Amino acid sequence: MKKVMTLAAAGMIALTAPAFAGGYSDPIVEDVVVVEEAASSIGNTGMALLGLALIAGIIIASDSDNSTPAP
């Protein structure tokens, strides 16, 4: 039984040895390319105008005096 296990171990070593025959070399890693889309600032103009209109509406609503004058 020992001979069979020894032969099996020797056979496995013999089969795996050629896998390491070339030695170690550093892996080749390619550079990562990052693509950014250019966005213009004009896309936010609509939101800015909407915000200004909202603030103007609040100011106009708070300035209006709906109370009746005292007699």
Side-chain angles (χ1 to χ4, degrees), residues 17-27:
F20 301 109
Y24 179 76
S25 63
D26 291 333

Side-chain angles (χ1 to χ4, degrees), residues 4 6-7 9 28 40 44 55 62 68:
V4 173
T6 305
L7 288 175
I28 298 172
S40 64
N44 294 331
I55 292 172
S62 66
T68 56

